[in-house]
């Protein structure tokens, strides 16, 4: 685990929320795609199997396909961000209980500044920074 991965946690959370909103809007647009009539060919149900033409109603194909592709891409990106955040959460959860784990949780998961964390645990900001640096150096 490196600092870059840990620092991306907060940004990833914001991006996940934004993607949820985008996906919801795309889904609304997909639901509003007009339904059109079309014809398909099928075989009759009884022997002799004669070709028949049947009228069907479907979403407008081009618009629906484009929206479905965008939704798929957004969901794929969201899943990737979720996996990245789960790695960070597992890394911090695997740390032994104590001040170091508390520091990592407050800085990287809760979004507190190093100064705020220092005040909370009775350290200076530079000591919090040193603890983080030392742990990342050895992992």
């Amino acid at each position: 685990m490196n600092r870059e991965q840990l620092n991306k946690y907060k940004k990833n959370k914001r991006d996940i929320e934004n993607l949820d909103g985008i996906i919801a809007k795309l889904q609304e647009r997909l639901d509003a795609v007009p339904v059109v009539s079309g014809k398909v060919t099928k075989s009759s149900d009884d022997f002799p199997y004669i070709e028949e033409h049947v009228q069907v109603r479907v979403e407008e194909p081009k618009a629906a396909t484009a929206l479905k592709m965008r939704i798929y891409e957004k969901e794929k990106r969201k899943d990737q961000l979720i996996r990245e955040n789960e790695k960070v959460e597992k890394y911090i959860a695997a740390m032994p209980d104590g001040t170091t784990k508390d520091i990592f949780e407050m800085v990287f998961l809760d979004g507190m500044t190093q100064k705020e964390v220092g005040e909370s645990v009775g350290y200076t900001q530079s000591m919090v920074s040193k603890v983080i640096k030392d742990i990342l150096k050895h992992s």
Side-chain angles (χ1 to χ4, degrees), residues 57-123:
R57 299 197 42 85
V58 295
E59 298 170 331
E60 200 285 308
K62 286 183 182 179
T65 302
L67 287 169
K68 286 177 184 176
M69 284 302 298
R70 288 189 62 204
I71 291 171
Y72 172 77
E73 290 167 3
K74 300 298 181 190
E75 286 175 343
K76 188 173 164 183
R77 174 70 179 141
K78 179 182 164 188
D79 290 342
Q80 177 188 356
L81 295 173
I82 289 171
R83 282 192 304 276
E84 287 177 13
N85 279 3
E86 286 173 347
K87 286 180 186 176
V88 170
E89 291 167 356
K90 286 178 185 176
Y91 174 78
I92 293 174
M95 293 176 135
D97 287 339
T99 307
T100 302
K101 182 176 183 176
D102 293 341
I103 289 171
F104 270 75
E105 286 175 345
M106 288 186 265
V107 170
F108 296 109
L109 300 183
D110 301 335
M112 295 172 68
T113 66
Q114 290 182 3
K115 184 177 180 181
E116 293 169 336
V117 172
E119 291 170 358
S120 175
V121 296
Y123 287 0

Side-chain angles (χ1 to χ4, degrees), residues 41-53:
T41 304
K42 77 168 204 127
S43 297
S44 63
D45 296 331
D46 300 319
F47 185 80
Y49 302 112
I50 300 169
E51 190 175 279
E52 296 178 349
H53 296 282

